Amino acid sequence: MAFGQAAGPPATAKQMQELLALLQAAGHTDFRDARGPMGFNQRQAAGRMTRDEAAAFIEQLEAEAYDRAEPFTPAPTGRPSADEATLQRLASPLLAAELQRRGWLVIEP
């Protein structure tokens, strides 16, 4: 393996789009802008990452976004908000799978 080459398959376009969106939501303009705060090396700052690297950075940014999120408060009107209505329409296995993907432990009642 040559210097600066990644060890593993390259990240998918979907992963890179998701990572860039999360970086922008965190206040960065692009990969280079996030190099120092995220600890990207030169190759990563150029937008070249392996699937595992991208997945790890996505997980890190999602966790940070979750930590910054305000606590959920239900709508005072008694009818469900748009977010609550969306969650109610989701099939339980789909919702459980998404929660597990985000690191939650899910058990049936």
Side-chain angles (χ1 to χ4, degrees):
M1 176 171 34
F3 178 75
Q5 294 289 321
T12 65
K14 183 178 177 181
Q15 279 182 307
M16 295 306 288
Q17 289 171 349
E18 183 179 3
L19 181 54
L20 182 57
L22 288 167
L23 287 171
Q24 289 171 341
H28 304 288
T29 55
D30 56 15
F31 294 106
R32 284 204 189 282
D33 179 53
R35 181 176 181 184
M38 291 296 297
F40 292 162
N41 61 32
Q42 191 172 6
R43 175 182 51 80
Q44 294 165 334
R48 294 187 307 268
M49 298 187 194
T50 66
R51 288 182 187 162
D52 292 342
E53 290 170 338
F57 285 124
I58 288 169
E59 185 177 320
Q60 175 185 345
L61 287 165
E62 284 178 340
E64 289 172 4
Y66 177 79
D67 290 343
R68 287 190 310 266
E70 294 181 21
F72 174 76
T73 55
T77 61
R79 61 173 214 224
S81 69
D83 289 338
E84 289 173 316
T86 301
L87 289 173
Q88 290 172 353
R89 285 192 304 269
L90 289 175
S92 296
L94 181 62
L95 182 57
E98 177 60 22
L99 288 170
Q100 287 174 330
R101 187 186 72 79
R102 293 180 184 209
W104 288 81
L105 298 177
V106 180
I107 58 171
E108 290 186 51

